[in-house]
Amino acid sequence: MSENVNKVNEEQVNAVIEKLESKDFGIYFFTLDTKGNPVAGVANIYEHVKVLNELGYKATILHEKNDYKKFGDEDENGLADWLGEEYANLPHVSIEDGALNVGPQDFLIIPEVFSTIMQQKEVRSLPCKKIVFSQSHEYIFELLPLGRRWTDFGFNDVITTSTKQGDYLKSLFPSIQSHVVPVAISSKFKPSDKPKLPIVTIHARNQSDVAKITKAFYLQYPIYKWLTFKELRGLSKAQFADELSKSCLAIWVDDVAGFGTFPLEAIECNTPVIAKIPNMVPEWMEEIDSDGQALLKYNGLWTNTTLNIPELISTYMKVWLEDSVPQELMDGMDEVKGVYSEENQKVKIEEVYGSLVQNRIGEFKNIIDSINVESATK
């Protein structure tokens, strides 16, 4: 009788392995419904889903409710309005519709901020592979109970955007496996074929920082009252890229940034950046010297406080008007251009998700080995 049971179990496990090897399984990305508002972290998730589908996987956006809007109307914007129709046309399902039906061959990927969902009994009991998608160290502890780890809930792997974030996650969750896929900078971000305009684009997580910087600048340097500040908030990706390419300077303030997408987008547009250094310095912003010390790269104008940003703007505008922007700065920007391309991210996505699938296949092959050992001892 036990031999028959083991035979059935082995057949079931082999069926799962066959599905994994033939890409006949689902990868579900639990995603915040932004209600038509641009969110960089959500855009990155959609990029993973798009690329995975291009690679032959069955990747799907998973929402909690079924009231998400892929296409906007006269009352409300939809996903297509800010990210594009290509992304709106990707597969979408919702938990509310009862469309989530996963097996051991499937993958469920949940952003770090949703630790309450990870803890739910219904989620913990799912037979699929469960993975955390962590883009910002700031959100790790948002809803995570004191003393608990993601691994307590069956999430033993994490996908993140930089080695530095991966190392930080390992310090918090020592047994977790970290997989790095850097963010891609869209090809929409490119230099304008027209001369730069006296416009300073500004992007800050807290809108109050925008007001403080612009108001302080006009008070301290009234000579530049003709200079225009333009906040880049609520724009489609295409509009965002167009504004960055036209401006002569970009300002960035985001203390909790995990990767630092905005400065890289500006650099791709050949627009120098003045920025307050985030709490976790992005990898592309620093280098390690021969003594093992971290040094800031000269690929932007970096500061530890927002208080001197008006002064830095004034200094830069003077050299820009004199057509004497330091060549060393432009060379530093050139060094990072193209590093985070869509093509490079696609290669990394194929590598990382392929590895995750192979690891999952290995888990099931180990189960078969255990079944065979058990049969041999009886």
Side-chain angles (χ1 to χ4, degrees):
M1 179 69 176
S2 61
E3 290 181 2
N4 291 335
V5 171
N6 286 339
K7 184 177 180 181
V8 171
N9 288 340
E10 186 173 348
E11 289 176 352
Q12 291 173 337
V13 175
N14 275 322
V16 172
I17 292 175
E18 184 177 337
K19 287 184 176 181
L20 286 164
E21 291 177 336
S22 62
K23 295 183 178 178
D24 184 19
F25 60 90
I27 306 177
Y28 297 93
F29 288 78
F30 187 81
T31 309
L32 174 71
D33 179 8
T34 69
K35 303 300 182 184
N37 297 308
V39 176
V42 171
N44 189 37
I45 292 175
Y46 271 89
E47 195 65 34
H48 280 235
V49 173
K50 179 176 79 73
V51 171
L52 286 168
N53 277 282
E54 292 171 354
L55 294 171
Y57 292 97
K58 299 176 180 177
T60 300
I61 295 292
L62 174 66
H63 288 305
E64 182 177 8
K65 303 290 184 180
N66 62 6
D67 61 350
Y68 58 88
K69 281 190 175 182
K70 294 194 289 184
F71 299 92
D73 52 34
E74 57 186 23
D75 297 320
E76 185 180 25
N77 284 339
L79 177 70
D81 294 300
W82 69 274
L83 199 53
E85 290 190 14
E86 181 182 15
Y87 298 91
N89 286 324
L90 292 171
H92 287 69
V93 297
S94 74
I95 296 173
E96 190 174 50
D97 282 337
L100 183 64
N101 183 21
V102 297
Q105 71 279 359
D106 298 312
F107 292 73
L108 175 62
I109 302 177
I110 298 180
E112 75 281 89
V113 70
F114 296 112
S115 56
T116 50
I117 293 176
M118 300 179 204
Q119 300 171 57
Q120 292 177 3
K121 183 178 179 181
E122 296 82 0
V123 173
R124 295 173 69 173
S125 63
L126 290 173
C128 61
K129 175 68 178 179
K130 295 180 278 288
I131 301 170
V132 180
F133 199 98
S134 181
Q135 300 187 72
S136 176
H137 55 88
E138 179 72 11
Y139 300 135
I140 295 171
F141 305 107
E142 191 85 8
L143 299 170
L144 187 66
L146 185 66
R148 302 304 300 271
R149 293 183 167 93
W150 294 333
T151 47
D152 297 338
F153 315 129
F155 288 78
N156 298 308
D157 289 80
V158 58
I159 296 170
T160 189
T161 57
S162 71
T163 301
K164 179 176 282 191
Q165 287 199 89
D167 292 342
Y168 179 62
L169 291 167
K170 287 285 287 184
S171 74
L172 300 172
F173 316 112
S175 63
I176 205 161
Q177 297 299 310
S178 175
H179 312 271
V180 177
V181 179
V183 176
I185 305 304
S186 170
S187 58
K188 290 183 173 66
F189 294 92
K190 55 188 177 183
S192 173
D193 55 3
K194 299 177 181 178
K196 295 283 190 181
L197 300 176
I199 296 173
V200 176
T201 46
I202 183 165
H203 186 62
R205 184 174 295 267
N206 298 320
Q207 204 162 7
S208 60
D209 285 322
V210 176
K212 291 174 186 176
I213 292 169
T214 54
K215 290 178 180 180
F217 177 81
Y218 285 130
L219 289 174
Q220 291 173 323
Y221 303 97
I223 190 175
Y224 291 117
K225 61 183 179 181
W226 46 266
L227 185 64
T228 300
F229 283 82
K230 184 169 290 188
E231 183 182 7
L232 300 186
R233 186 182 295 271
L235 300 179
S236 69
K237 184 176 287 189
Q239 292 172 318
F240 200 99
D242 182 58
E243 293 296 341
L244 262 182
S245 67
K246 291 189 298 187
S247 62
C248 66
L249 180 65
I251 310 298
W252 181 58
V253 180
D254 190 348
D255 288 337
V256 303
F259 184 76
T261 306
F262 176 77
L264 292 172
E265 292 169 339
I267 288 171
E268 291 294 340
C269 294
N270 217 33
T271 302
V273 181
I274 293 173
K276 182 175 184 290
I277 303 166
N279 296 335
M280 181 180 287
V281 182
E283 290 178 347
W284 53 263
M285 191 187 281
E286 68 177 5
E287 58 187 351
I288 307 300
D289 66 11
S290 58
D291 296 324
Q293 299 296 314
L295 303 174
L296 291 175
K297 290 183 178 180
Y298 190 27
N299 49 15
L301 304 171
W302 317 124
T303 176
N304 288 313
T305 174
T306 58
L307 294 178
N308 68 346
I309 287 181
E311 180 183 359
L312 292 172
I313 296 171
S314 173
T315 302
Y316 178 82
M317 290 308 302
K318 183 176 186 296
V319 298
W320 181 72
L321 290 169
E322 295 172 350
D323 198 22
S324 58
V325 175
Q327 188 58 46
E328 188 180 354
L329 171 61
M330 304 310 293
D331 291 343
M333 291 166 58
D334 286 340
E335 288 179 9
V336 77
K337 285 180 182 177
V339 173
Y340 300 101
S341 66
E342 293 166 316
E343 294 77 12
N344 288 345
Q345 189 194 48
K346 185 172 184 176
V347 170
K348 197 64 180 175
I349 285 176
E350 185 171 21
E351 174 190 320
V352 165
Y353 287 88
S355 174
L356 287 166
V357 172
Q358 288 304 312
N359 291 345
R360 188 64 167 165
I361 290 172
E363 292 177 21
F364 287 106
K365 286 185 175 179
N366 289 337
I367 292 174
I368 290 178
D369 291 339
S370 299
I371 292 172
N372 291 336
V373 169
E374 183 181 348
S375 298
T377 56
K378 290 184 179 180

